[in-house]
Amino acid sequence: MDQRAVERQSTAFVASCCSFGRSADCRLLNISAQGCLIEVAEPILREGNRIRIKISGISSLDGEVMCHEGTQAGVSFAATLHPAVVAYIAGCLEADLAEFPPLTPAG
């Protein structure tokens, strides 16, 4: 069983990410003060990659890919987020979940 020191909050928010000059749409699946789980439209991420996640209207989140499987990746943030920031990201996005567009690869 996966045990974490910090509780994760579920989200389903579309953002974008870039790593090593490549970018793709991504979906933020959950978030905590220390990291998040994302799903990427294209499998551009590998363990150890530095990543920047851009959420419209919110400052970018920098981190490192700690694990990945297919198009999903676990990201550890470069700096711990304040709990209010996590709550804001998770809470303010709930209204957007009704219109949840599918991820589509660039091309």
Side-chain angles (χ1 to χ4, degrees), residues 29-51:
L29 301 175
N30 66 41
I31 189 167
S32 74
Q34 296 175 343
C36 65
L37 177 65
I38 61 172
E39 180 178 28
V40 192
E42 301 176 50
I44 65 168
L45 302 175
R46 298 289 177 258
E47 191 172 319
N49 284 158
R50 297 282 182 212
I51 184 173

Side-chain angles (χ1 to χ4, degrees), residues 17-38:
C17 67
C18 67
S19 180
F20 291 105
R22 297 185 67 195
S23 61
D25 287 339
C26 71
R27 183 175 294 142
L28 192 66
L29 301 175
N30 66 41
I31 189 167
S32 74
Q34 296 175 343
C36 65
L37 177 65
I38 61 172

Side-chain angles (χ1 to χ4, degrees), residues 30-75:
N30 66 41
I31 189 167
S32 74
Q34 296 175 343
C36 65
L37 177 65
I38 61 172
E39 180 178 28
V40 192
E42 301 176 50
I44 65 168
L45 302 175
R46 298 289 177 258
E47 191 172 319
N49 284 158
R50 297 282 182 212
I51 184 173
R52 174 166 284 167
I53 301 169
K54 298 176 185 177
I55 300 172
S56 181
I58 298 173
S59 182
S60 297
L61 302 171
D62 293 329
E64 179 179 344
V65 176
M66 303 306 291
C67 60
H68 75 91
E69 184 174 324
T71 57
Q72 291 191 355
V75 176

Side-chain angles (χ1 to χ4, degrees), residues 9-22:
Q9 295 191 33
S10 294
T11 63
F13 184 70
V14 176
S16 65
C17 67
C18 67
S19 180
F20 291 105
R22 297 185 67 195

